[in-house]
Amino acid sequence: EKPEGSTLGGYYLSDDHFFDGVLSRVYSMDFTKDGSLLSCAGHQGRISVFALGKKEVFEEKGADTAKDGSPSSDEEDNVTHSYKGHKGWIGQVQFLSSSSMPLHIITGSNDKSVKVWDLSVSRKSGGDVVPKCITETTSLHR
């Protein structure tokens, strides 16, 4: 459920559902415990992370910020990350709830891989904002 008084940036309401132009099909979603971020993943290995309200959480870590400390990306849509993280569709995305890893997500895909992403360390690649993949395994699926 969307926290009261916040906006779900990056989406627009179409009839009775939300639509995101980058993700054509969402198979998994997860909120951070405080409700400040939403991660969505699914079709074509795409992952998007949205800030519900402002992106202060990323300013603190220094990710994606301009020299004056303001976010370098357009704050109107609140998309903090949007990228192709897997070769296949993603069946699961989840924030890791640990004080030592507050901005980490884990994704699992039908490409037989599971990856952990650090959202506080990002780079731009084409039109995508891609976080650092800190670990990956393909030995869980046979």
Side-chain angles (χ1 to χ4, degrees), residues 118-134:
D118 183 350
L119 300 176
S120 68
V121 180
S122 303
R123 65 178 170 77
K124 291 202 176 196
S125 176
D128 290 352
V129 178
V130 183
K132 181 179 181 182
C133 180
I134 57 174

Side-chain angles (χ1 to χ4, degrees), residues 9-11 20-24 38-51 55 58 64 73 77-86 90 105 117 119 121-132:
Y11 284 88
D20 172 20
V22 176
L23 283 169
S24 59
L38 168 68
S39 61
C40 303
H43 192 62
Q44 297 179 335
R46 299 287 309 183
I47 304 162
S48 292
V49 179
F50 299 90
K55 294 189 240 185
F58 291 99
D64 258 355
S73 57
D77 61 9
N78 288 352
V79 177
T80 62
H81 297 81
S82 179
Y83 61 101
K84 183 171 177 73
H86 289 270
I90 299 170
I105 59 174
W117 305 90
L119 300 176
V121 180
S122 303
R123 65 178 170 77
K124 291 202 176 196
S125 176
D128 290 352
V129 178
V130 183
K132 181 179 181 182

Side-chain angles (χ1 to χ4, degrees), residues 101-121:
M101 300 189 306
L103 294 175
H104 288 69
I105 59 174
I106 187 167
T107 56
S109 171
N110 76 336
D111 66 4
K112 299 182 181 177
S113 69
V114 175
K115 298 180 181 183
V116 176
W117 305 90
D118 183 350
L119 300 176
S120 68
V121 180

